[in-house]
Amino acid sequence: MADTNQQEINEYKVVDPIHVNREQATKDVMDIVLDFTNLDASEITPETIIDEFLDSLDKVEITVQIERKLNCHISDLEVEEWETVSDIVDSYLKYQN
């Protein structure tokens, strides 16, 4: 049972710091965003305005996914300022350390 619990913890916690470039961060964010939409990958670019296809709950869930992946906390105020996919990528890069 302890092994199962440790596996679950490791699934949500980054053991080693993640250091990625903007291209990889954009791919990671777009993959996360696509999980919360009915859009095809070809329909989303870094300049895509997220309010056109994400509601506030989607933004919260995306934030949680990024926080788990990077073992960080992103403030609600920062999330409220997200307008484009690129804004989410900026946050991703900011907290990757």
Side-chain angles (χ1 to χ4, degrees):
M1 181 155 174
D3 289 334
T4 303
N5 289 341
Q6 186 61 42
Q7 267 182 327
E8 290 173 7
I9 290 169
N10 287 340
E11 186 175 324
Y12 296 109
K13 184 176 180 185
V14 175
V15 177
D16 295 320
I18 296 175
H19 298 284
V20 297
N21 62 25
R22 185 162 196 88
E23 181 180 340
Q24 182 60 48
T26 300
K27 181 189 177 313
D28 291 349
V29 167
M30 289 176 71
D31 288 345
I32 293 169
V33 168
L34 284 170
D35 287 343
F36 294 95
T37 70
N38 293 324
L39 299 175
D40 185 78
S42 64
E43 298 177 89
I44 298 179
T45 69
E47 295 78 29
T48 300
I49 298 173
I50 59 175
D51 286 340
E52 294 178 3
F53 59 89
L54 295 176
D55 62 24
S56 58
L57 181 58
D58 293 331
K59 288 182 184 179
V60 169
E61 292 176 356
I62 288 168
T63 303
V64 169
Q65 291 294 322
I66 293 171
E67 290 175 337
R68 286 179 177 166
K69 183 173 179 81
L70 300 179
N71 194 28
C72 70
H73 174 73
I74 301 172
S75 75
D76 293 341
L77 292 175
E78 186 168 348
V79 173
E80 287 175 15
E81 292 177 0
W82 289 349
E83 294 180 2
T84 65
V85 171
S86 185
D87 293 334
I88 302 172
V89 172
D90 290 343
S91 292
Y92 187 101
L93 289 168
K94 176 179 174 183
Y95 293 104
Q96 73 173 331
N97 297 325

